[in-house]
Amino acid sequence: MTDTLLIALFALGGAACAGVLGAGVLRLVRHRSVAVSLTVVAAVTVTAMLAGTLAVAQAMFLSPHDLGVVTLVAAMAAVVSLGTALLLGRWVVARSRELSRAARDFGDGGSFAAPPGQTTAELDALSRELAATSAKLAASRERERALETSRRELVAWISHDLRTPLAGLRAMSEALEDGMAADPARYHRQIRTEVERLNSMVGDLFELSRIHAGALCLTPSRMSVYDLVGDALSGVDPLAREHGVRLVGDTVERVPVEVDGKEMTRVLANLLINAIRHTPADGTVAIAARRQAGAVVLSVTDGCDGIAAEDLPRVFDTGWRGTTARTPPAGAGLGLAIVRGIVEAHAGRATVRNVPGGCRFEVTLPLTA
């Protein structure tokens, strides 16, 4: 038992020396190719075995013949180990270079495609992560392009919508100043109407900028959906009478929700105003609220004869109006974008779909526990 322990200690000491030396070499070549590192590891393994053997031989535990045999065996093992390490290293390096080229193409604005053929588990996992990142970046680039297009359209539309009333205000003010107005009182009423429209447009722009900047501060409180709908209907009733549209809100459940009352009333008001303006006279705009799978769904249904299928995905985009006409009643195309921003700030979602005779806007909000 004592001899065995001594042999183990001498062998461990020799192998440890080789291991320390190998660790130093690995530290020096840590920035080199993985093939070099694998070769060093294989060399350290064989050297450690040989160093342990020589240490035992120096302690007189091995005969010269046995030492020669062990050294020869270690040398053959070293040749095979180094050859295997070099082949493995070259294969890993080749796969790494292919992955690097694919990643470089991906970084230049393309999409990532994993190199064909088998690879190590780690490189395969890295390829999957790069593919997932590529998909996310592609979606992000697409959203950025859509947002940039939306911004350009918004600037063009807002510029037109601001220029038209301003030109009218200027003409009316000059007519009043020159005493050329046949009916000054009518001009004053028209100026007031245009100023109110401009004020509404500026207010919508300010609200939308707060939403896009993430500066929309909500003060949620527990309230009934029934009260929210009642407040919204009261606010738009004069507009509905002016357009000859009938408002219906008979199917509204008294469901409690945790929302910012002011902002959510604005959401419903925007949806109702949009529905009233696109519903012909003698038509009906219906608002409803119901429970559905842990949420409450508020819906506004109008009689607009529906929205073109290709336009449905753009309804909530900033500046979208669904028509090329730039007439004042069309608005600035900000109301529905504000609706989506406020609803998403409440952890909800806003959707739209066509129904017989019109379309239905739905706002889904989480129920209060």
Side-chain angles (χ1 to χ4, degrees):
M1 184 64 183
T2 302
D3 291 343
T4 303
L5 180 60
L6 286 174
I7 292 172
L9 289 176
F10 277 103
L12 178 62
C17 292
V20 170
L21 180 61
V25 175
L26 281 176
R27 181 176 177 82
L28 293 175
V29 300
R30 64 184 183 278
H31 298 303
R32 301 289 297 278
S33 170
V34 67
V36 176
S37 298
L38 288 174
T39 303
V40 172
V41 170
V44 168
T45 302
V46 176
T47 304
M49 182 184 68
L50 185 58
T53 303
L54 292 176
V56 172
Q58 290 296 325
M60 303 301 292
F61 291 110
L62 287 180
S63 65
H65 177 268
D66 292 340
L67 178 59
V69 171
V70 171
T71 302
L72 183 60
V73 171
M76 295 302 101
V79 171
V80 174
S81 299
L82 292 176
T84 304
L86 286 173
L87 289 175
L88 177 61
R90 290 186 61 183
W91 179 72
V92 172
V93 168
R95 297 298 301 172
S96 299
R97 287 174 178 169
E98 292 175 0
L99 188 60
S100 297
R101 284 193 295 270
R104 190 180 304 114
D105 295 339
F106 159 48
D108 291 338
S111 59
F112 177 81
Q118 296 182 345
T119 183
T120 63
E122 291 79 9
L123 291 179
D124 186 54
L126 180 58
S127 297
R128 289 196 300 270
E129 289 296 329
L130 286 173
T133 302
S134 175
K136 292 177 182 177
L137 286 177
S140 177
R141 285 193 294 266
E142 186 62 31
R143 286 194 301 269
E144 184 179 354
R145 283 193 293 267
L147 182 59
E148 184 60 29
T149 301
S150 176
R151 285 174 178 169
R152 286 196 298 267
E153 292 176 351
L154 176 62
V155 170
W157 293 343
I158 291 297
S159 298
H160 184 282
D161 287 342
L162 288 176
R163 188 182 300 113
T164 301
L166 287 174
L169 288 171
R170 179 177 180 178
M172 287 186 286
S173 64
E174 289 176 350
L176 290 170
E177 183 179 4
D178 296 339
M180 301 297 293
D183 186 359
R186 184 175 67 85
Y187 275 48
H188 288 144
R189 289 193 298 271
Q190 185 63 27
I191 288 174
R192 180 183 179 88
T193 300
E194 294 296 336
V195 169
E196 288 177 351
R197 192 165 73 87
L198 287 173
N199 183 67
S200 176
M201 188 183 302
V202 171
D204 285 346
L205 283 171
F206 177 71
E207 184 74 8
L208 194 61
S209 67
R210 286 202 305 157
I211 292 172
H212 286 171
L216 181 63
C217 297
L218 301 177
T219 54
S221 59
R222 186 183 177 89
M223 59 183 62
S224 172
V225 171
Y226 186 85
D227 296 332
L228 282 173
V229 172
D231 292 341
L233 288 174
S234 299
V236 301
D237 185 65
L239 180 65
R241 292 178 182 273
E242 179 184 343
H243 284 73
V245 174
R246 187 166 66 97
L247 295 176
V248 176
D250 299 333
T251 56
V252 179
E253 299 182 19
R254 296 179 181 271
V255 183
V257 288
E258 193 85 16
V259 296
D260 186 311
K262 178 182 176 182
E263 298 294 345
M264 196 51 61
T265 299
R266 179 166 191 166
V267 165
L268 296 179
N270 283 0
L271 291 177
L272 287 169
I273 291 171
N274 181 70
I276 291 169
R277 287 177 174 170
H278 290 84
T279 298
D282 297 329
T284 300
V285 170
I287 184 170
R290 69 184 188 279
R291 296 174 184 265
Q292 177 180 301
V296 58
V297 179
L298 296 106
S299 63
V300 175
T301 306
D302 59 32
C304 68
D305 291 330
I307 300 173
E310 62 271 16
D311 286 338
L312 281 174
R314 297 193 57 203
V315 167
F316 293 98
D317 289 351
T318 301
W320 184 87
R321 302 192 225 190
T323 174
T324 56
R326 297 277 72 86
T327 53
L334 305 179
L336 294 179
I338 292 173
V339 165
R340 180 175 62 179
I342 295 175
V343 171
E344 290 180 351
H346 283 84
R349 67 180 185 276
T351 57
V352 61
R353 58 188 172 90
N354 286 324
V355 295
C359 60
R360 179 172 296 160
F361 289 84
E362 293 185 342
V363 171
T364 304
L365 298 170
L367 275 176
T368 303

